[in-house]
Amino acid sequence: MKTADPELMRAINRFNVLDTIRRAGSIARIEISDRTQLSTTTVSAITASLLDDGLILARTEGDLREAAARGRPRVMLELNPDAARVVGAKIAANRMVFVVTDFRGEVLSTLTLALRVDRQPIGVIADLIEDGVRRCVVDANLALDEIDSVCLGLPGVVEHRTGHVRTSPIFRETGVDFAKEMSERLGVTTIVESDAHAITLAHHWFGKARDLDDMVLVSLEQTLGLGVLHGGQLFRGAGGLSHNLGDLVLGMGPQGTIRLASLAGESAILGDQPSGRFAEAIRLGRGMAHAKTLIDADDNTLISAAIRAGEACGMALANIVTLFAPPRVILVGSSLALGQPFLDRLREAYSLAIPPSIKGVTELVFDQSTDETWAQGAAVVALRELYESPWGTTGPAPAL
């Protein structure tokens, strides 16, 4: 029988110990052993290595002067916030949001640039992102050479392993090697990830899935994204592909294939040629909020579009839950701003479509996360890359 690769097992065990310390905030070795099911000897060896690498700190709990009377003082382990610093960013069509975080994921600085970047030449977009990264790093009182990694969260279909962006509404071109472009510009390893995966990890670390290792996130933004977390790890397709939920087929019609985006995508809801204030709101990235204002004023066209989109999303959710049966599905994104016509129809369609055998298995949670949270999720992607390296931040890791 083939045994597991020892190097891989060491890397997995190291990640599990480090992640256990992160989740606990402060924890003793014996508790790490209990939570990870690793032997105390293994935990001691791993934590000694993490201490040597400067990734964790040891803190003695209690008064050392009373140690003789009360026994050996309890040693607690916690992440070293200064072990690494990363930049995370959410790149949207009409704004860019940057954060710098420490090794614990705590935000050191933020920067929002409200400008339209979609469909600009690649060089122009790269210039703007580079300026945003550099400004946010300076705001954190750091220099770029003190940054260990950068992660850019983009809408669309992204190959995580290569950094290629297959398609994105941000770019005119397809198949863009954007990770290479930005790594060369910044002189810092740059990861490109789907924004849906970034916000999934943000919720796993800080948000409404902190208590779960299995969950699904549905992003209802300019593009419709999907994040699937299983055993605390993101599920990615071949080559680390992200998922474009908008391409999900819901049926066939006279015009051919009916995909989710054609019913529930932003352009399907807002319409192709709005005018006046509505057009300006869309241009500034406030289309959904303005649509809610019109819905409240009984705009029947938008009410119908919101109901249609809600029904399509409810059916798609039922299909996802049928496939994965997660304990929780978190829905995020600008479409939630449409309000009751959208949300009520989504819940109704989901309830009607979900199979009786799994009814009640999954909790639906609606969350209007801030742009900063999305960017912080991108920072988490960068941090996890460092966590998963068996050599810490000091050298290259073998492929896992």
Side-chain angles (χ1 to χ4, degrees):
M1 186 172 101
K2 185 177 180 180
T3 58
D5 180 351
E7 195 67 38
L8 177 61
M9 291 307 300
R10 280 193 290 271
I12 292 172
N13 290 341
R14 182 182 171 104
F15 170 80
N16 287 336
V17 169
L18 197 57
D19 197 50
T20 299
I21 296 171
R22 176 193 69 80
R23 290 189 184 207
S26 181
I27 190 171
R29 289 178 177 86
I30 187 65
E31 293 171 305
I32 296 173
S33 180
D34 290 340
R35 296 189 189 188
T36 61
Q37 299 299 299
L38 296 172
S39 70
T40 54
T41 302
T42 298
V43 169
S44 293
I46 292 173
T47 54
S49 173
L50 294 173
L51 284 164
D52 287 344
D53 289 339
L55 301 183
I56 62 173
L57 302 172
R59 177 175 55 80
T60 302
E61 195 175 68
D63 192 337
L64 288 174
R65 292 173 297 181
E66 301 178 8
R70 303 175 63 179
R72 188 173 181 177
R74 185 177 169 89
V75 176
M76 306 298 288
L77 302 174
E78 56 192 40
L79 294 186
N80 178 5
D82 297 327
R85 297 177 180 90
V86 301
V87 178
K90 177 184 180 180
I91 311 300
N94 42 61
R95 65 198 180 282
M96 299 187 295
V97 183
F98 303 87
V99 300
V100 176
T101 79
D102 62 21
F103 197 55
R104 292 177 179 170
E106 295 174 356
V107 174
L108 304 178
S109 67
T110 66
L111 174 68
T112 299
L113 300 177
L115 41 82
R116 187 169 183 177
V117 298
D118 63 320
R119 305 302 174 180
Q120 294 288 338
I122 292 292
V124 173
I125 296 173
D127 282 343
L128 293 170
I129 293 174
E130 180 183 355
D131 288 348
V133 169
R134 291 182 182 276
R135 284 177 55 182
C136 198
V137 170
V138 168
D139 289 346
N141 294 317
L142 297 169
L144 198 56
D145 60 10
E146 296 177 274
I147 298 299
D148 293 86
S149 184
V150 174
C151 180
L152 308 175
L154 294 167
V157 178
V158 178
E159 289 183 5
H160 173 77
R161 293 179 192 168
T162 65
H164 282 79
V165 181
R166 289 199 172 197
T167 61
S168 173
I170 302 297
F171 298 140
R172 298 173 181 173
E173 299 86 349
T174 59
V176 178
D177 190 352
F178 205 55
K180 180 181 179 182
E181 172 77 23
M182 295 311 304
S183 294
E184 291 176 349
R185 281 172 170 266
L186 296 169
V188 177
T189 299
T190 301
I191 304 162
V192 178
E193 181 62 276
S194 83
D195 56 1
H197 279 176
I199 190 64
T200 299
L201 289 181
H203 272 287
H204 181 48
W205 273 40
F206 315 110
K208 298 186 182 297
R210 290 188 68 176
D211 57 328
L212 298 173
D213 279 335
D214 298 281
M215 53 84 74
V216 166
L217 180 136
V218 173
S219 165
L220 305 174
E221 287 268 300
Q222 184 179 11
T223 58
L224 307 180
L226 178 69
V228 178
L229 195 75
H230 179 59
Q233 299 291 326
L234 276 173
F235 173 81
R236 295 184 174 97
L241 275 178
S242 59
H243 318 283
N244 183 1
L245 190 59
D247 286 338
L248 184 70
V249 176
L250 296 182
M252 301 294 291
Q255 305 301 317
T257 302
I258 302 173
R259 299 188 185 275
L260 180 60
S262 67
L263 299 173
E266 186 173 291
S267 61
I269 297 170
L270 301 181
D272 294 329
Q273 295 181 338
S275 59
R277 294 180 183 176
F278 197 9
E280 287 301 311
I282 292 172
R283 182 180 179 84
L284 295 173
R286 301 173 185 167
M288 288 300 188
H290 193 75
K292 174 61 165 57
T293 300
L294 296 176
I295 286 172
D296 290 343
D298 296 327
D299 184 307
N300 290 327
T301 300
L302 279 171
I303 291 172
S304 296
I307 291 172
R308 183 173 62 246
E311 181 175 284
C313 287
M315 292 173 60
L317 279 179
N319 285 330
I320 292 167
V321 171
T322 300
L323 285 173
F324 298 108
R328 187 171 302 155
V329 172
I330 300 173
L331 293 95
V332 300
S334 56
S335 293
L336 301 185
L338 294 170
Q340 294 310 121
F342 174 79
L343 297 174
D344 288 349
R345 187 54 184 151
L346 184 153
R347 291 189 182 98
E348 181 183 358
Y350 172 79
S351 180
L352 291 171
I354 199 73
S357 59
I358 57 173
K359 214 172 188 91
V361 166
T362 300
E363 175 190 15
L364 298 186
V365 174
F366 299 85
D367 179 76
Q368 295 194 19
S369 298
T370 65
D371 283 339
E372 183 179 314
T373 304
W374 290 69
Q376 197 174 4
V380 171
V381 175
L383 288 172
R384 283 178 66 102
E385 295 283 320
L386 300 179
Y387 279 28
E388 291 172 357
S389 166
W391 310 117
T393 60
T394 58
L400 301 184

